[in-house]
Amino acid sequence: MRLQKLEPLTNEYLESIGFVWHTDEDNTSYVADEIVEITPDEAEAYYEATNELYDMFCEAGEYVVENDLFHDLNIPFNLVEIIKESWENDVHWHLYSRFDLAGGIDGKPIKLIEFNADTPTSLFETAVVQWAMLKKNGLDEASQFNNLYDALKDNFKRIITLDSDLEKFDEYYSKLGWKILFTSISGLPEDENTTKLLQHIATEAGFNTDFEFIDNVGFNDEGIFKEDELFEFWFKLIPWEDIAIDEGELALILTEIIKEKKAIIFNPAYTLMFQSKGFMKILWDLYPNHPLLLETSFEPLEGKKQVEKRCFGREGANTKIINEDGSIDVETQGDYEGHKAIYQEYVELPTDSQGNSYQAGVFYAFEASGLGFRRGEKILNNTSKFVGHVIN
């Protein structure tokens, strides 16, 4: 593990750019004052691995839909129809996502841990903060695997062109003039400002945009609206499974909105398939012993150290690392006990001299677009730190 010490960005500066969740509850900085040094070959390996993994997810997604495996993935029944509708029509564009990966540095092979396909966090940190860290310290801010900001801007344009030819955007959009409503939950500054960053990028891409908290957004058979204005596109930083479980009536309304082509939602409902950790069992069945995958099952693995986690668990909650003899190495509690469990072969994360573990996160927006790291204990949770990187 190669780390480089940096002068940290001040809280005042971070707040000036909209990054307000800079200090953890113990008054330590959430953003580390060190960055991980990687080589050009390591950056290229992350890029290639993430692109290959996304292609595998798409192939496996078709298999899930064709074989109606939604129950296996712990998908709520009231979202199955909207998932199928969004999967079958190319207008439901996957805007962005993040792969969590073990390895990739210190000669360790890259392995998929999970895929945050619906509402991934660390977007602001990856796209903006780590770039600012290099610039503040007089380093070449281009010396990163990180074009996430521009990749998102281009991908917003692709929701109009539906292909890689972005030159068509101005011609098509000038005729359509469609608008995007951006929505998050009130009282959550990280979610709000991440959503507003995406709104800013969409505005730069040329869209008319607006923002509103979910409690003030309207839904009916005409579509999605704020006050009296209908929106053709709706971005929601609200997990699909939460809509299904907590807002069952809304799930039904959104299904009708999609079926009647009244609006397009980001990220689309089919990303919930990818979000389910049970999807990695499907991948293992389709691509057994693939070098980027870890063996995964719905039943405990025989004679292997493994991780038990929940299909829709978040931030390391309700996770166990189980030793080969069945004893518990370490475990966490949480609110996801009711979700289906999966068992994934254990892999050591890279560690520094202090014993901290590092997990790579690679964002995907049409292609692999930006790398960042999380640092914490064996099971990374909501106290983990964000660590930037530099290519040397």
Side-chain angles (χ1 to χ4, degrees), residues 15-262:
E15 290 170 9
S16 75
I17 61 174
F19 190 79
V20 297
W21 56 101
H22 47 64
T23 304
D24 287 332
E25 291 183 0
D26 60 0
N27 284 325
T28 61
S29 176
Y30 161 58
V31 179
D33 60 357
E34 296 172 309
I35 54 175
V36 178
E37 294 184 357
I38 66 171
T39 67
D41 287 346
E42 288 169 338
E44 181 66 21
Y46 279 127
Y47 175 80
E48 295 292 344
T50 303
N51 289 334
E52 182 175 357
L53 283 167
Y54 193 83
D55 288 344
M56 291 162 62
F57 267 80
C58 290
E59 291 289 334
E62 186 66 28
Y63 179 81
V64 168
V65 173
E66 286 181 351
N67 293 278
D68 206 27
L69 300 179
F70 303 102
H71 180 72
D72 289 7
L73 299 183
N74 205 204
I75 300 288
F77 73 93
N78 57 354
L79 289 182
V80 170
E81 188 175 4
I82 193 173
I83 287 173
K84 290 179 177 178
E85 289 284 340
S86 65
W87 182 257
E88 295 299 331
N89 193 329
D90 287 344
V91 302
H92 300 285
W93 197 259
H94 193 179
L95 187 60
Y96 79 114
S97 51
R98 191 192 77 233
F99 287 91
D100 287 344
L101 306 169
I105 50 180
D106 291 351
K108 295 182 178 179
I110 295 170
K111 297 288 185 179
L112 173 67
I113 300 295
E114 57 195 52
F115 187 27
N116 300 275
D118 180 17
T119 56
T121 55
S122 301
L123 178 70
F124 205 122
E125 299 91 305
T126 303
V128 178
V129 172
Q130 65 173 340
W131 176 87
M133 290 169 64
L134 296 190
K135 188 172 184 179
K136 168 72 173 179
N137 283 268
L139 300 173
D140 179 8
E141 59 265 29
S143 296
Q144 291 185 345
F145 166 26
N146 186 16
N147 66 324
L148 179 56
Y149 191 100
D150 289 334
L152 285 165
K153 188 187 299 185
D154 287 345
N155 225 18
F156 273 112
K157 294 180 180 181
R158 290 190 185 96
I159 68 179
I160 299 295
T161 68
L162 296 179
D163 64 29
S164 58
D165 185 359
L166 299 179
E167 292 182 1
K168 297 178 181 177
F169 174 76
D170 290 336
E171 176 188 352
Y172 287 4
Y173 183 71
S174 63
K175 297 176 183 177
L176 300 171
W178 286 344
K179 304 177 293 295
I180 309 177
L181 179 63
F182 288 81
T183 298
S184 68
I185 298 172
S186 61
L188 299 175
E190 179 179 356
D191 288 11
E192 178 183 348
N193 284 15
T194 298
T195 303
K196 287 182 175 178
L197 172 63
L198 286 162
Q199 181 190 1
H200 176 78
I201 294 171
T203 303
E204 282 195 353
F207 282 91
N208 296 316
T209 69
D210 202 350
F211 174 88
E212 188 54 85
F213 293 117
I214 184 64
D215 292 343
N216 300 321
V217 178
F219 307 90
N220 61 25
D221 56 5
E222 291 299 316
I224 299 170
F225 58 93
K226 174 184 176 181
E227 298 174 346
D228 294 327
E229 184 178 14
L230 282 167
F231 287 81
E232 293 84 7
F233 296 109
W234 181 47
F235 174 88
K236 47 131 206 90
L237 200 65
I238 302 159
W240 275 108
E241 72 269 21
D242 287 357
I243 293 174
I245 295 167
D246 301 331
E247 301 289 345
E249 184 177 351
L250 176 58
L252 294 176
I253 294 172
L254 292 176
T255 300
E256 289 305 308
I257 286 172
I258 292 300
K259 286 176 64 177
E260 297 301 321
K261 299 178 173 57
K262 297 294 186 180

Side-chain angles (χ1 to χ4, degrees), residues 251-317:
L252 294 176
I253 294 172
L254 292 176
T255 300
E256 289 305 308
I257 286 172
I258 292 300
K259 286 176 64 177
E260 297 301 321
K261 299 178 173 57
K262 297 294 186 180
I264 297 169
I265 302 171
F266 305 110
N267 275 314
Y270 66 75
T271 59
L272 188 60
M273 293 191 297
F274 297 167
Q275 182 78 29
S276 171
K277 296 174 180 61
F279 201 92
M280 291 178 291
K281 195 270 184 187
I282 305 295
L283 284 174
W284 185 258
D285 289 346
L286 296 177
Y287 303 96
N289 300 306
H290 189 284
L292 294 173
L293 300 180
L294 296 166
E295 182 179 357
T296 307
S297 175
F298 292 131
E299 303 295 334
L301 302 174
E302 293 289 335
K304 290 188 176 183
K305 191 169 184 177
Q306 60 199 277
V307 180
E308 176 189 326
K309 46 192 175 182
R310 303 291 155 169
C311 279
F312 292 109
R314 291 175 182 267
E315 296 184 327

